[in-house]
Amino acid sequence: MEGLLLKKYGDITNVLTRSEIEKPTPKVGEILIEVKTVALNPIDIKIANGDLKAILPSITKKPKLGFDVCGIVRDTGNKVTSFKNDDEVYLRLPLDRGSGFSKFIVAKLDHVALKPKNLSFEEAAALPLAALTSIQAISEYANAEAGQSILIDSGSGGVGTFAIQYAKYLELKVTAVASHRNEALLENLGVDKVICYDLESFLDSGEKYDIVFNMIGNTNPIKCIMATKKGGTVVSIGGPPDIRFVPKLKVNLVQKLLLFPLFGLTSLPIKILALAKGVRYNRFLTESDGLQLENVSKLVEEGKIKPVVDKVYPLKDYKAAFDYLKSNRVKGKLVLNEIK
């Protein structure tokens, strides 16, 4: 079968190549999925550029991109009873097993859920990474409670559009940051207040929040701490990693010993500022979780959350899709279909 392989680092539109891939066979506790759709994520570009070499395993001959997958079960390994052939499923592949840009993949049972019945394959593919990231950030790391205020610092992207809806479901007061071009989109998702970053900074008002969900790197983690109430929480997928990352990484012992001081130093200024301001700061990696996706399916089927899909491209037009993703103007998610 044919798929897209990443064999070296560089611009993603140049280093992804169409190559023959051996059809995998499910092992015990695994299922074989025929891929129908794959959603794109900014992390695909970061991996291809080599920006995450210190965190993720080195590129091998196996594909390592394409983590949001929706498809149909075509075979099951031994001891699999929770899924059967022809089930329509979706999942977020773990970063060390990413292989969504191919006709077939194998996945572990605890990473997979039945896709929402009321969604197309294209719509369902837009959910897994965004949903899991939002749920883990807001519910697990921030321990959000009804009535609290939350600032979502990138509201119009794939994660942001889900996070807004999930936070409203939890009865939080939601302020989201986006370009003025996307203000109407955020209002339609139920946000209480939009801050247009091209017109003002979220620090200008002096307002403080119980939770700040940070999705952009550079100086934003520091700004997010400054915008958080004393005793509040910043949850980040954009700031520098800290030492709590290390035990979760797929690296050998020597690499782990080297990463502890490296991550400790890079995150030190942020940790010091958070301590001084009485703010909890959590930088985390999203975990694949089929049970959480089952709950997402229920929310979607009940009409409480809807995916936001900007455009759908056939797989053959993946270069155009990634060019658009690099523009940072995507509203919600981009999806590839016609995986052959």
Side-chain angles (χ1 to χ4, degrees):
M1 65 180 186
E2 195 176 63
L4 297 178
L5 291 179
L6 182 64
K7 294 185 177 180
K8 62 180 180 179
Y9 293 118
D11 185 291
I12 195 164
T13 57
N14 297 325
V15 297
L16 273 179
T17 59
R18 301 192 73 146
S19 305
E20 283 297 316
I21 303 173
E22 184 178 352
K23 183 178 177 180
T25 301
K27 300 177 182 177
V28 175
E30 294 182 337
I31 58 177
L32 177 72
I33 300 171
E34 179 185 357
V35 178
K36 291 297 183 180
T37 52
V38 184
L40 307 187
N41 292 287
I43 194 170
D44 294 318
I45 294 174
K46 292 180 180 180
I47 293 173
N49 285 340
D51 297 340
L52 303 179
K53 288 180 182 179
I55 298 175
L56 300 174
S58 299
I59 297 299
T60 68
K61 292 183 179 180
K62 295 182 179 180
K64 295 291 181 183
L65 300 178
F67 304 106
D68 276 335
V69 174
C70 188
I72 301 173
V73 177
R74 293 305 188 198
D75 194 10
T76 58
N78 290 334
K79 299 183 180 180
V80 173
T81 59
S82 51
F83 296 97
K84 63 184 185 301
N85 285 359
D86 299 327
D87 280 345
E88 297 179 352
V89 297
Y90 69 150
L91 74 153
R92 181 268 195 178
L93 283 161
L95 297 183
D96 63 321
R97 292 189 62 161
S99 59
F101 298 135
S102 57
K103 181 63 175 176
F104 292 94
I105 62 166
V106 292
K108 294 183 178 180
L109 291 181
D110 57 355
H111 297 159
V112 184
L114 294 174
K115 86 170 182 62
K117 296 176 182 177
N118 57 334
L119 295 186
S120 66
F121 288 110
E122 288 79 7
E123 292 170 318
L127 287 172
L129 186 143
L132 294 174
T133 301
S134 300
I135 291 168
Q136 291 167 23
I138 297 171
S139 289
E140 295 184 7
Y141 285 89
N143 295 310
E145 297 179 358
Q148 289 185 317
S149 59
I150 183 171
L151 174 72
I152 298 171
D153 80 345
S154 183
S156 61
V159 176
T161 52
F162 188 96
I164 288 169
Q165 297 176 84
Y166 182 67
K168 291 301 297 182
Y169 165 73
L170 296 177
E171 300 181 356
L172 304 182
K173 182 181 178 182
V174 181
T175 299
V177 180
S179 163
H180 75 278
R181 296 186 302 271
N182 297 322
E183 187 172 3
L185 168 65
L186 270 57
E187 290 174 346
N188 288 336
L189 294 175
V191 70
D192 296 288
K193 179 180 178 182
V194 180
I195 297 175
C196 300
Y197 67 78
D198 45 355
L199 301 178
E200 61 178 321
S201 167
F202 60 75
L203 291 177
D204 290 343
S205 68
E207 187 172 354
K208 305 281 188 179
Y209 305 89
D210 296 300
I211 302 165
V212 177
F213 188 7
N214 166 232
M215 288 170 260
I216 304 174
N218 301 322
T219 59
N220 262 24
I222 293 175
K223 291 181 180 179
C224 290
I225 291 171
M226 300 299 293
T228 306
K229 294 178 182 178
K230 186 175 182 180
T233 304
V234 175
V235 282
S236 176
I237 58 172
D242 61 31
I243 58 174
R244 288 173 293 184
F245 263 38
V246 180
K248 298 181 179 181
L249 302 182
K250 306 292 184 178
V251 294
N252 61 43
L253 179 60
V254 173
Q255 289 172 310
K256 286 184 178 182
L257 292 176
L258 293 173
L259 289 175
F260 269 111
L262 174 63
F263 287 1
L265 287 173
T266 56
S267 63
L268 186 60
I270 293 174
K271 288 300 186 66
I272 291 175
L273 178 62
L275 182 64
K277 295 293 182 180
V279 171
R280 293 183 295 274
Y281 176 81
N282 289 302
R283 174 66 165 91
F284 74 99
L285 281 171
T286 305
E287 300 286 343
S288 299
D289 192 318
L291 289 177
Q292 288 184 346
L293 287 181
E294 287 182 15
N295 291 328
V296 171
S297 293
K298 293 176 184 177
L299 293 176
V300 172
E301 290 170 357
E302 292 169 358
K304 294 182 171 63
I305 291 178
K306 60 184 178 182
V308 178
V309 178
D310 191 329
K311 293 184 180 181
V312 178
Y313 295 81
L315 180 66
K316 65 182 179 63
D317 292 338
Y318 71 90
K319 290 187 178 182
F322 276 113
D323 281 337
Y324 184 33
L325 183 63
K326 288 187 289 184
S327 74
N328 294 319
R329 293 183 175 231
V330 178
K331 301 177 184 70
K333 300 295 285 286
L334 300 179
V335 177
L336 299 180
N337 63 8
E338 298 183 18
I339 314 295
K340 300 177 180 178

